[in-house]
Amino acid sequence: MSTPVTSDSPTRKAFTMHRLGILVPAAVVILAVPAVAVAGGLFPPRPGTTVSVLPAGQDNPMIADGVAIGKGAALYKTSGLGPAALNTAAPAGSEARYIDTEVFPGGVLPPGVTITEAQGINVLRRIGENLSRAGLSYEDVISMRVFLQNPAGQERMDFNGWNRAYRQFFANTSLSTGKPVLVPLGSAAPATPMVVNPARPSRFALEIENLPVNGWLVEVEVDAVYPAKGE
Protein backbone atom coordinates (compact mmCIF):
# COMPACT_ATOMS: atom_id res chain seq x y z
CA MET A 1 0.00 0.00 0.00
CA SER A 2 1.32 3.46 -0.84
CA THR A 3 0.18 6.88 0.33
CA PRO A 4 1.02 9.89 -1.87
CA VAL A 5 2.65 12.59 0.20
CA THR A 6 4.28 15.00 -2.17
CA SER A 7 5.29 15.49 -5.76
CA ASP A 8 7.71 17.85 -7.41
CA SER A 9 5.84 20.38 -9.50
CA PRO A 10 7.33 23.91 -9.82
CA THR A 11 5.54 26.52 -11.94
CA ARG A 12 5.63 25.66 -15.63
CA LYS A 13 6.75 28.82 -17.43
CA ALA A 14 10.23 28.86 -18.95
CA PHE A 15 12.10 26.42 -21.13
CA THR A 16 15.61 25.59 -22.14
CA MET A 17 16.99 23.16 -24.67
CA HIS A 18 19.24 20.30 -23.66
CA ARG A 19 20.59 17.14 -25.20
CA LEU A 20 18.91 15.64 -22.14
CA GLY A 21 15.27 16.29 -21.28
CA ILE A 22 12.49 15.57 -18.88
CA LEU A 23 9.62 13.19 -19.54
CA VAL A 24 6.03 14.20 -18.77
CA PRO A 25 2.77 13.78 -20.67
CA ALA A 26 2.93 15.56 -23.99
CA ALA A 27 -0.16 17.65 -23.32
CA VAL A 28 1.46 19.18 -20.26
CA VAL A 29 4.58 20.10 -22.19
CA ILE A 30 2.63 21.77 -24.96
CA LEU A 31 0.60 23.83 -22.51
CA ALA A 32 3.76 24.87 -20.70
CA VAL A 33 5.62 26.18 -23.72
CA PRO A 34 5.44 29.87 -24.72
CA ALA A 35 4.08 30.47 -28.21
CA VAL A 36 7.39 31.97 -29.31
CA ALA A 37 9.13 28.66 -28.59
CA VAL A 38 6.76 26.78 -30.86
CA ALA A 39 7.15 29.41 -33.54
CA GLY A 40 10.91 29.18 -33.20
CA GLY A 41 10.85 25.54 -34.20
CA LEU A 42 11.93 23.90 -30.92
CA PHE A 43 8.71 21.89 -30.67
CA PRO A 44 8.44 19.19 -31.68
CA PRO A 45 12.14 18.49 -31.12
CA ARG A 46 14.37 17.17 -33.84
CA PRO A 47 14.47 13.36 -34.14
CA GLY A 48 16.57 11.78 -31.41
CA THR A 49 16.74 14.97 -29.33
CA THR A 50 14.80 16.37 -26.39
CA VAL A 51 13.66 19.82 -25.31
CA SER A 52 13.25 20.40 -21.58
CA VAL A 53 11.02 22.93 -19.86
CA LEU A 54 12.46 24.61 -16.77
CA PRO A 55 10.82 26.91 -14.22
CA ALA A 56 11.33 30.62 -14.81
CA GLY A 57 13.59 32.79 -12.72
CA GLN A 58 15.71 30.05 -11.17
CA ASP A 59 19.43 29.66 -11.80
CA ASN A 60 19.61 26.17 -10.29
CA PRO A 61 16.16 24.55 -10.31
CA MET A 62 15.94 21.12 -8.71
CA ILE A 63 13.74 19.56 -11.39
CA ALA A 64 12.29 20.39 -14.77
CA ASP A 65 8.64 20.85 -15.57
CA GLY A 66 8.58 18.53 -18.55
CA VAL A 67 10.22 17.37 -21.75
CA ALA A 68 9.36 16.85 -25.37
CA ILE A 69 11.11 13.77 -26.78
CA GLY A 70 11.91 13.73 -30.47
CA LYS A 71 10.91 10.87 -32.73
CA GLY A 72 13.29 7.93 -32.62
CA ALA A 73 14.95 8.80 -29.29
CA ALA A 74 16.21 5.59 -27.68
CA LEU A 75 14.88 5.24 -24.13
CA TYR A 76 16.33 3.14 -21.29
CA LYS A 77 14.29 2.38 -18.16
CA THR A 78 15.74 0.94 -14.98
CA SER A 79 13.91 -1.27 -12.55
CA GLY A 80 13.29 0.08 -9.09
CA LEU A 81 16.62 0.01 -7.26
CA GLY A 82 17.29 0.24 -3.55
CA PRO A 83 20.48 0.67 -1.57
CA ALA A 84 23.00 -2.17 -1.47
CA ALA A 85 23.66 -3.92 1.86
CA LEU A 86 27.25 -2.69 2.08
CA ASN A 87 27.52 -2.07 5.81
CA THR A 88 28.05 -5.68 6.83
CA ALA A 89 28.84 -4.68 10.42
CA ALA A 90 25.19 -3.68 10.91
CA PRO A 91 22.47 -6.29 11.49
CA ALA A 92 20.80 -7.74 8.40
CA GLY A 93 17.53 -5.98 7.66
CA SER A 94 18.44 -2.88 9.64
CA GLU A 95 18.42 0.59 8.16
CA ALA A 96 22.12 1.01 8.96
CA ARG A 97 22.91 -2.07 6.84
CA TYR A 98 22.28 0.08 3.76
CA ILE A 99 24.88 2.75 4.46
CA ASP A 100 27.51 2.83 1.71
CA THR A 101 30.78 2.27 3.56
CA GLU A 102 32.83 3.53 0.59
CA VAL A 103 31.26 6.93 1.22
CA PHE A 104 30.90 6.61 5.00
CA PRO A 105 33.75 4.41 6.31
CA GLY A 106 32.68 2.09 9.08
CA GLY A 107 29.06 3.07 8.52
CA VAL A 108 29.58 6.19 10.63
CA LEU A 109 27.50 9.15 9.45
CA PRO A 110 28.96 12.68 9.72
CA PRO A 111 27.05 15.34 11.68
CA GLY A 112 23.63 16.08 10.25
CA VAL A 113 23.66 13.25 7.70
CA THR A 114 20.41 11.35 8.09
CA ILE A 115 19.92 7.67 7.41
CA THR A 116 17.63 8.55 4.47
CA GLU A 117 20.31 10.85 3.06
CA ALA A 118 22.90 8.08 3.40
CA GLN A 119 20.64 5.50 1.77
CA GLY A 120 19.77 7.98 -0.98
CA ILE A 121 23.46 8.36 -1.81
CA ASN A 122 23.80 4.57 -1.82
CA VAL A 123 20.84 4.18 -4.20
CA LEU A 124 22.03 6.86 -6.59
CA ARG A 125 25.48 5.29 -6.77
CA ARG A 126 23.77 2.03 -7.74
CA ILE A 127 21.74 3.91 -10.36
CA GLY A 128 25.01 5.20 -11.80
CA GLU A 129 26.39 1.66 -12.03
CA ASN A 130 23.21 0.47 -13.73
CA LEU A 131 23.36 3.28 -16.28
CA SER A 132 27.04 2.66 -16.96
CA ARG A 133 26.36 -0.98 -17.83
CA ALA A 134 23.83 0.27 -20.39
CA GLY A 135 26.28 2.75 -21.91
CA LEU A 136 24.69 5.77 -20.21
CA SER A 137 25.49 8.23 -17.43
CA TYR A 138 23.71 10.43 -14.90
CA GLU A 139 23.58 13.19 -17.52
CA ASP A 140 21.31 11.03 -19.69
CA VAL A 141 18.57 10.70 -17.03
CA ILE A 142 15.31 12.41 -18.01
CA SER A 143 12.81 11.27 -15.39
CA MET A 144 12.86 9.80 -11.90
CA ARG A 145 10.39 8.14 -9.58
CA VAL A 146 11.25 8.07 -5.87
CA PHE A 147 9.68 5.96 -3.12
CA LEU A 148 10.51 6.84 0.47
CA GLN A 149 9.70 5.09 3.73
CA ASN A 150 9.71 6.88 7.07
CA PRO A 151 12.73 5.96 9.22
CA ALA A 152 12.13 4.03 12.43
CA GLY A 153 10.69 6.30 15.10
CA GLN A 154 9.67 9.02 12.65
CA GLU A 155 6.14 9.72 11.48
CA ARG A 156 7.04 10.90 7.99
CA MET A 157 9.60 10.33 5.29
CA ASP A 158 12.77 12.43 5.42
CA PHE A 159 12.29 14.48 2.25
CA ASN A 160 14.99 16.99 3.14
CA GLY A 161 17.57 14.24 3.58
CA TRP A 162 16.59 12.72 0.24
CA ASN A 163 16.89 16.08 -1.51
CA ARG A 164 20.41 16.59 -0.17
CA ALA A 165 21.38 13.17 -1.53
CA TYR A 166 19.73 13.95 -4.87
CA ARG A 167 21.62 17.23 -5.26
CA GLN A 168 24.91 15.34 -4.89
CA PHE A 169 24.20 13.68 -8.26
CA PHE A 170 21.65 15.83 -10.13
CA ALA A 171 20.74 19.48 -10.75
CA ASN A 172 23.89 20.95 -9.25
CA THR A 173 25.11 23.40 -11.88
CA SER A 174 24.29 27.04 -12.53
CA LEU A 175 22.16 27.59 -15.63
CA SER A 176 23.80 30.96 -16.25
CA THR A 177 27.45 29.93 -15.85
CA GLY A 178 27.48 26.14 -16.14
CA LYS A 179 29.65 25.97 -13.03
CA PRO A 180 28.99 23.55 -10.14
CA VAL A 181 26.77 24.72 -7.31
CA LEU A 182 28.00 23.69 -3.86
CA VAL A 183 25.91 21.10 -2.02
CA PRO A 184 25.79 20.35 1.74
CA LEU A 185 26.33 16.87 3.13
CA GLY A 186 24.29 16.77 6.29
CA SER A 187 24.99 19.90 8.30
CA ALA A 188 28.46 20.42 6.81
CA ALA A 189 29.29 23.52 4.81
CA PRO A 190 28.29 23.18 1.14
CA ALA A 191 31.02 21.62 -1.00
CA THR A 192 31.58 20.37 -4.55
CA PRO A 193 28.93 17.72 -5.32
CA MET A 194 29.90 14.07 -5.65
CA VAL A 195 28.92 14.10 -9.34
CA VAL A 196 28.72 17.41 -11.19
CA ASN A 197 25.66 17.04 -13.40
CA PRO A 198 23.44 19.60 -15.18
CA ALA A 199 20.59 17.13 -15.77
CA ARG A 200 17.32 17.99 -14.04
CA PRO A 201 14.94 15.03 -14.30
CA SER A 202 11.23 15.33 -13.92
CA ARG A 203 10.45 13.70 -10.63
CA PHE A 204 7.77 12.55 -8.26
CA ALA A 205 8.16 11.28 -4.71
CA LEU A 206 5.79 9.09 -2.72
CA GLU A 207 5.83 7.96 0.87
CA ILE A 208 5.50 4.17 0.97
CA GLU A 209 4.21 2.26 3.94
CA ASN A 210 6.48 -0.71 3.28
CA LEU A 211 9.29 -0.95 0.74
CA PRO A 212 10.04 -4.47 -0.52
CA VAL A 213 13.25 -5.05 1.49
CA ASN A 214 13.49 -4.77 5.26
CA GLY A 215 15.66 -1.79 6.12
CA TRP A 216 15.22 0.07 2.84
CA LEU A 217 14.09 3.67 3.16
CA VAL A 218 14.65 4.67 -0.48
CA GLU A 219 13.84 3.07 -3.84
CA VAL A 220 14.42 4.83 -7.16
CA GLU A 221 13.77 4.13 -10.82
CA VAL A 222 14.84 6.32 -13.72
CA ASP A 223 14.41 6.77 -17.45
CA ALA A 224 17.33 7.84 -19.61
CA VAL A 225 17.69 8.75 -23.28
CA TYR A 226 20.66 7.83 -25.43
CA PRO A 227 22.30 10.86 -27.07
CA ALA A 228 21.43 11.39 -30.70
CA LYS A 229 24.16 10.26 -33.10
CA GLY A 230 26.74 12.93 -33.73
CA GLU A 231 26.21 14.67 -30.37
Side-chain angles (χ1 to χ4, degrees):
M1 177 181 178
S2 64
T3 304
V5 171
T6 185
S7 65
D8 300 312
S9 56
T11 303
R12 299 181 174 90
K13 290 183 178 178
F15 72 93
T16 188
M17 187 171 186
H18 291 285
R19 176 172 64 83
L20 308 173
I22 310 301
L23 178 63
V24 295
V28 174
V29 175
I30 293 172
L31 290 173
V33 177
V36 65
V38 178
L42 294 181
F43 293 88
R46 292 181 293 106
T49 68
T50 62
V51 178
S52 63
V53 181
L54 297 179
Q58 298 182 32
D59 188 54
N60 185 30
M62 181 172 290
I63 61 173
D65 294 340
V67 69
I69 301 177
K71 182 179 180 181
L75 183 67
Y76 176 76
K77 302 173 72 70
T78 73
S79 294
L81 300 176
L86 300 176
N87 185 17
T88 55
S94 68
E95 295 172 2
R97 184 82 167 190
Y98 298 98
I99 295 172
D100 190 332
T101 50
E102 290 187 14
V103 179
F104 305 108
V108 178
L109 300 183
V113 175
T114 66
I115 187 65
T116 295
E117 182 177 1
Q119 286 202 15
I121 289 170
N122 187 330
V123 170
L124 292 174
R125 280 166 55 85
R126 309 290 77 80
I127 289 285
E129 294 167 353
N130 183 296
L131 293 169
S132 179
R133 290 192 294 270
L136 293 160
S137 73
Y138 292 109
E139 291 191 15
D140 300 310
V141 173
I142 61 166
S143 65
M144 178 181 294
R145 291 160 296 280
V146 184
F147 307 92
L148 301 172
Q149 184 172 318
N150 55 302
Q154 298 185 26
E155 294 184 357
R156 295 189 62 183
M157 63 180 183
D158 175 17
F159 197 55
N160 289 335
W162 156 253
N163 275 338
R164 289 195 301 272
Y166 168 84
R167 286 283 202 180
Q168 293 288 348
F169 297 85
F170 292 93
N172 52 41
T173 62
S174 164
L175 294 180
S176 59
T177 69
K179 295 181 179 179
V181 174
L182 303 184
V183 177
L185 183 65
S187 57
T192 302
M194 295 179 181
V195 176
V196 176
N197 181 15
R200 290 164 170 82
S202 68
R203 203 181 76 175
F204 74 71
L206 297 177
E207 183 177 59
I208 300 298
E209 184 174 347
N210 290 296
L211 285 174
V213 176
N214 289 336
W216 278 13
L217 299 176
V218 184
E219 184 176 0
V220 177
E221 60 183 59
V222 303
D223 301 332
V225 168
Y226 287 91
K229 291 182 179 179
E231 293 194 6

